[in-house]
Amino acid sequence: SSLKSRNLITLEGDLLQASQEGIDFIGESPNPPQTSDEIINMWRENLRGGARRMFDVLVKNYPNPVSKEQLGEAISMVHSSGSFGTYLSMLRGNGIAESNGNWVKASDNLFV
C-alpha cells in the first residue's frame, strides 16, 4: 500500500506493475532471470526459514510431487501445523508451488 500511495506501482485488475514513477525511482531495471537456475536462486534469496526449506525440497523432487506428510518430515515440521500451512500458502500464492489434494510439487514455471 505504501508503494501504491507513492504512485510507484499500478494495479490493473490482477496485474501489479511498476509505474513510470516507480521505474524512475529505481533507476535502471535489472534483466529478468533467464534460466531455471536464475529463477530458482532469485526465489531462494527471497524466502526465509521454513518456506525456503520447503521450496528446496520441492525443487529437488521436481517434477515429482511429494505428499504433505513427506514434505513435513523433510523440513522437520508437522504437516498439519499452522506454520506449515502458512509456508505452503505463501509458496502457492507466489506461483512457485502447486498442490492437488495431499500432493505438492514445485511449479512448472520455475523450469524453463
Side-chain angles (χ1 to χ4, degrees):
S1 66
S2 67
L3 294 175
K4 190 172 181 185
S5 68
R6 294 173 55 196
N7 295 320
L8 299 176
I9 61 171
T10 61
L11 179 61
E12 297 176 23
D14 290 338
L15 181 63
L16 180 70
Q17 60 187 24
S19 65
Q20 187 59 52
E21 291 92 344
I23 293 168
D24 294 341
F25 178 78
I26 293 172
E28 186 177 323
S29 64
N31 290 328
Q34 301 294 312
T35 67
S36 295
D37 286 341
E38 289 174 347
I39 294 168
I40 290 166
N41 287 333
M42 178 194 71
W43 279 108
R44 278 198 91 252
E45 291 172 7
N46 288 288
L47 295 170
R48 300 284 177 254
R52 180 187 286 183
R53 293 190 315 269
M54 192 178 280
F55 178 76
D56 288 342
V57 170
L58 297 175
V59 167
K60 179 182 174 187
N61 284 282
Y62 182 84
N64 300 314
V66 295
S67 71
K68 290 180 182 176
E69 292 85 359
Q70 292 168 324
L71 184 56
E73 287 176 19
I75 65 169
S76 301
M77 288 189 81
V78 177
H79 75 280
S80 58
S81 72
S83 295
F84 181 94
T86 298
Y87 295 143
L88 183 56
S89 179
M90 181 190 327
L91 298 180
R92 285 192 318 245
N94 282 294
I96 56 178
E98 303 168 2
S99 62
N100 184 1
N102 192 46
W103 297 95
V104 185
K105 75 178 203 85
S107 177
D108 296 333
N109 61 23
L110 293 169
F111 301 89
V112 293

